[in-house]
Amino acid sequence: METELKGILDDLKFLQNSFLDPSQQALIDKMRSRVDNVTNLAKSGTMHRAKVKELSAEVVDSNPYSRLMALQRMGIVENYERIRHFSVAIVGIGGVGSVAAEMLTRCGIGRLLLYDYDKVELANMNRLFFRPEQVGMTKTDAAVQTLSDINPDVVLESYTLNITTVQGFETFTSSLRNKSFSPNKEGSGVALVLSCVDNYEARMVVNQACNELNQTWMESGVSENAVSGHIQLLIPGETACFACAPPLVVASGVDERTLKREGVCAASLPTTMGVVAGLLVQNSLKYLLNFGQVTPYLGYNALKDFFPTMEMKPNPQCSNSACLERQKEYILAKPARDAAAREKMSAEVLTEGPLHEENEWNISVVDDNDLTINDTRCSGALPEGLTHELPIADEFEKLPAAESSNDADDLEDLKRQLEALNA
Amino acid sequence: MEGWDPTTKSTLTRIPLLTTKAGPRDGAAWTQRLKEEYKALIAYTSMNKSNDNDWFRISAANPEGTRWIGKCWYVHNLLKYEFDLQFDIPVTYPATAPEIELPQLDGKTHKMYRGGKICLTVHFKPLWAKNCPRFGIAHALCLGLAPWLAAEIPILVDSGMIKHKDDAASSSEV
């Protein structure tokens, strides 16, 4: 195609030189510029860049990482190149997950694991990322297609499965455990799991997997009315897990009764989803590359432009047994943590020296910003603008022991009884 | 439970409650839970039969009891409409309820998620959360699927989205 276009250009040049009529000259000029445009279009359609070995900070137009590496020069990130060693798992490649995946891909993340069981539909086109020609493809395959074009350096793994089924869960957890990408990493094979799913069941499954694997994860969500969302950091044992308290939702700020929905066709906006994806990946980058403050919970109320934040401690009576184990481990590790903190403090004092030479009155700065909620079940107090989505399970009354007397019942026998009724 | 009709309420009180909090990955505890599920389903089905209100069939599709298939039906204007019924027991069961699917109705109503999962968010999920782990499959059918069918099938029939099988057969013959 390129050689053909070049041929046309040469012919036009020849024509231009052989004609003397100025009116035809203008027409030939126009034709030449059209051929130039087509040539450029053809080039951009087929351009794939080669993989790079090392991230370069060189400021040239052809370096895809120059603006990212500049974060080091600006003093924001100490070592940006570390990003290539991280694996991030994204569960749910919808309005938030796909955009988060693209952001991490453009940032040059080492490896992305993508999980979804859905297909791309025309009804998804009000959101970002997927294109109409991808309708009918699985979301994971369509994402891999686009992302590998954008940045061939990222290792992409796609898992088309439903994580809430027993089998899907097995595949999900074993893929998180797989350490072939970074054999020396402690713990699981991924640095972070991002939950970008749209339902409570799937969130509880991610929670279960991460509690069992002791895996730090971040949860994200956008409300069904598309005008609020949130992100939350979950460190098993250290912060509240998703089952510790009923899920929080950002109150819409308008009378809830006026929001009575017809059916389940949830509303969605590319803006809200883009904002939440941005908040989620921003928090992920801060967590991975160790800069700024990683937020434990950040809500977004689009109607009032209100961003509530809070911290939640784990619930000692959490219904999730893996969460309780992680809590126990976290408490046991407290002395080591304290020692490390003291060491760090004294090291800082040594390098910086005391702020003031004299402190006659022992004045010290204390943090008055301690908005920690301890065991929300007891207090039930939530900061302004947040509410619970589901009620708490009622106290479980132990039924009298008479119940256990017929434990001897045979499962096969019960099956037969039901089949007899079904007949 | 405010807002529920007295018949559903009295039926519900007679379905045995479950006691074992165990999911499909919990080994022997799951077997125990499975026994309780069967007992509740047997009690509910025989109760329906004796009240002349038989409206579903359900049985485990695998030995582990993690997948269930069956039929459910609804009578509207003296005609019976029958649908395939299926669901998986999620790994986080019973903390999360099974997502009941009617695959034949997928795409016919917006009160449904992809794959034919009926919407349980408003009328059922809070009840399930409040009564974990005492509610089981029988309760999900009684409080989740039954009211959904009662609300949706008349609308789907009247709007012509679903046809009775006799009508569908005769119209295709013409």
Side-chain angles (χ1 to χ4, degrees):
Chain A
M1 181 157 163
E2 258 176 75
T3 47
E4 285 297 308
L5 287 167
K6 226 176 155 228
I8 295 174
L9 266 184
D10 289 342
D11 292 348
L12 284 172
K13 237 185 236 165
F14 178 77
L15 272 178
Q16 206 164 25
N17 292 337
S18 54
F19 279 119
L20 290 169
D21 189 340
S23 66
Q24 281 167 343
Q25 289 284 342
L27 187 68
I28 290 173
D29 273 337
K30 217 162 132 195
M31 283 171 80
R32 283 181 64 179
S33 78
R34 278 176 199 272
V35 174
D36 277 337
N37 284 343
V38 173
T39 314
N40 285 335
L41 278 177
K43 263 189 199 157
S44 67
T46 55
M47 211 203 78
H48 290 284
R49 73 167 171 85
K51 295 187 183 193
V52 300
K53 265 222 176 70
E54 267 168 39
L55 303 198
S56 146
E58 193 190 2
V59 185
V60 287
D61 292 350
S62 59
N63 177 6
Y65 296 107
S66 58
R67 308 300 171 104
L68 293 165
M69 294 297 283
L71 286 166
Q72 289 181 187
R73 218 174 31 253
M74 300 278 172
I76 301 295
V77 177
E78 206 171 297
N79 179 4
Y80 189 86
E81 271 204 90
R82 282 175 61 207
I83 199 156
R84 300 196 73 176
H85 304 302
F86 295 125
S87 297
V88 174
I90 303 183
V91 188
I93 312 300
V96 173
S98 62
V99 178
E102 177 171 347
M103 286 175 172
L104 287 169
T105 298
R106 289 184 187 271
C107 285
I109 195 84
R111 184 175 68 133
L112 278 183
L113 295 84
L114 310 170
Y115 306 84
D116 205 301
Y117 66 92
D118 236 344
K119 287 188 170 148
V120 181
E121 295 177 354
L122 271 183
N124 303 140
M125 292 307 136
N126 71 319
R127 281 155 257 172
L128 306 175
F129 190 71
F130 290 118
R131 299 189 305 268
E133 65 267 26
Q134 292 176 320
V135 166
M137 291 176 78
T138 63
K139 287 185 173 173
T140 45
D141 286 349
V144 168
Q145 184 186 58
T146 306
L147 298 175
S148 57
D149 272 354
I150 291 172
N151 189 344
D153 298 329
V154 180
V155 177
L156 297 162
E157 288 177 24
S158 86
Y159 297 89
T160 312
L161 49 82
N162 179 356
I163 59 162
T164 67
T165 63
V166 177
Q167 212 181 7
F169 185 80
E170 291 302 321
T171 316
F172 176 49
T173 48
S174 65
S175 65
L176 293 180
R177 269 193 219 105
N178 184 347
K179 300 217 282 190
S180 53
F181 180 78
S182 43
N184 299 325
K185 188 186 169 298
E186 272 179 52
S188 78
V190 299
L192 192 61
V193 174
L194 301 181
S195 162
C196 306
V197 296
D198 63 356
N199 64 83
Y200 174 71
E201 289 74 21
R203 286 187 176 94
M204 287 290 275
V205 170
V206 177
N207 186 63
Q208 180 70 34
C210 291
N211 276 344
E212 286 180 19
L213 296 173
N214 198 7
Q215 172 66 53
T216 298
W217 63 292
M218 285 185 203
E219 131 72 12
S220 68
V222 176
S223 66
E224 287 203 333
N225 60 13
V227 289
S228 63
H230 70 271
I231 61 161
Q232 183 178 351
L233 170 73
L234 296 103
I235 307 172
E238 187 177 337
T239 69
C241 92
F242 198 71
C244 276
L248 292 170
V249 286
V250 179
S252 56
V254 294
D255 189 347
E256 297 287 340
R257 280 164 301 176
T258 64
L259 290 175
K260 206 66 208 147
R261 300 177 297 265
E262 280 288 306
V264 294
C265 181
S268 65
L269 279 169
T271 46
T272 314
M273 296 219 158
V275 168
V276 170
L279 294 174
L280 178 69
V281 176
Q282 192 82 291
N283 214 35
S284 307
L285 290 174
K286 290 196 283 185
Y287 173 78
L288 295 172
L289 297 173
N290 199 13
F291 66 96
Q293 274 178 8
V294 182
T295 194
Y297 182 98
L298 178 59
Y300 169 48
N301 174 339
L303 296 182
K304 290 188 166 175
D305 277 342
F306 178 52
F307 294 82
T309 64
M310 63 181 288
E311 266 177 67
M312 260 194 301
K313 284 205 177 133
N315 178 355
Q317 279 114 43
C318 181
S319 60
N320 186 298
S321 57
C323 170
L324 295 180
E325 276 172 47
R326 297 293 91 78
Q327 288 189 42
K328 228 180 277 164
E329 289 166 11
Y330 184 74
I331 291 166
L332 283 178
K334 193 176 185 296
R337 233 177 6 257
D338 287 348
R342 267 197 306 275
E343 212 165 280
K344 200 176 159 210
M345 282 267 277
S346 56
E348 269 169 21
V349 169
L350 276 178
T351 51
E352 290 171 16
L355 194 54
H356 302 283
E357 287 296 328
E358 285 168 34
N359 188 0
E360 193 181 343
W361 311 104
N362 282 321
I363 296 168
S364 65
V365 183
V366 286
D367 194 2
D368 62 357
N369 205 5
D370 217 3
L371 231 176
T372 311
I373 295 191
N374 199 356
D375 193 2
T376 41
R377 261 166 221 243
C378 306
S379 64
L382 286 176
E384 191 199 336
L386 294 174
T387 52
H388 287 300
E389 191 186 357
L390 286 171
I392 300 160
D394 288 342
E395 208 42 60
F396 180 20
E397 302 154 40
K398 283 267 182 272
L399 290 178
E403 196 65 12
S404 57
S405 64
N406 47 11
D407 259 338
D409 281 347
D410 180 45
L411 188 60
E412 291 306 317
D413 191 45
L414 288 165
K415 266 186 204 172
R416 271 194 295 278
Q417 280 182 44
L418 183 63
E419 287 312 316
L421 282 169
N422 280 345
Chain B
M1 286 300 299
E2 319 82 56
W4 288 82
D5 63 290
T7 327
T8 309
K9 269 193 192 171
S10 79
T11 311
L12 180 72
T13 53
R14 283 180 292 147
I15 304 177
L17 292 172
L18 290 75
T19 53
T20 309
K21 186 176 173 293
R25 294 166 67 242
D26 293 333
W30 171 240
T31 311
Q32 180 56 33
R33 170 91 191 182
L34 214 47
K35 286 182 191 169
E36 296 175 10
E37 296 282 2
Y38 271 109
K39 281 180 203 163
L41 278 169
I42 289 164
Y44 184 38
T45 311
S46 33
M47 188 176 11
N48 286 339
K49 287 194 168 194
S50 59
N51 293 341
D52 199 20
N53 183 33
D54 198 18
W55 67 275
F56 69 86
R57 291 283 172 273
I58 193 82
S59 45
N62 58 1
E64 301 82 25
T66 58
R67 181 160 182 81
W68 294 72
I69 52 169
K71 299 260 183 209
C72 62
W73 54 90
Y74 187 79
V75 177
H76 178 60
N77 292 340
L78 304 175
L79 290 174
K80 182 177 163 188
Y81 297 85
E82 193 177 79
F83 311 101
D84 288 342
L85 163 67
Q86 62 184 46
F87 54 87
D88 285 293
I89 300 293
V91 277
T92 44
Y93 191 83
T96 57
E99 297 182 279
I100 298 169
E101 296 165 33
L102 305 176
Q104 289 154 328
L105 294 183
D106 192 14
K108 290 193 196 285
T109 160
H110 56 245
K111 300 203 176 173
M112 195 168 245
Y113 295 100
R114 199 148 9 274
K117 290 174 182 162
I118 66 167
C119 174
L120 299 165
T121 315
V122 177
H123 73 277
F124 178 63
K125 293 284 175 68
L127 271 178
W128 182 274
K130 222 171 150 58
N131 289 285
C132 173
R134 286 162 295 178
F135 279 6
I137 295 169
H139 301 84
L141 295 173
C142 174
L143 294 171
L145 181 58
W148 191 93
L149 289 173
E152 293 309 309
I153 301 309
I155 295 172
L156 286 168
V157 172
D158 295 346
S159 66
M161 277 308 273
I162 53 174
K163 288 215 159 44
H164 191 261
K165 60 180 191 301
D166 296 344
D167 285 352
S170 61
S171 62
S172 65
E173 278 161 24
V174 172

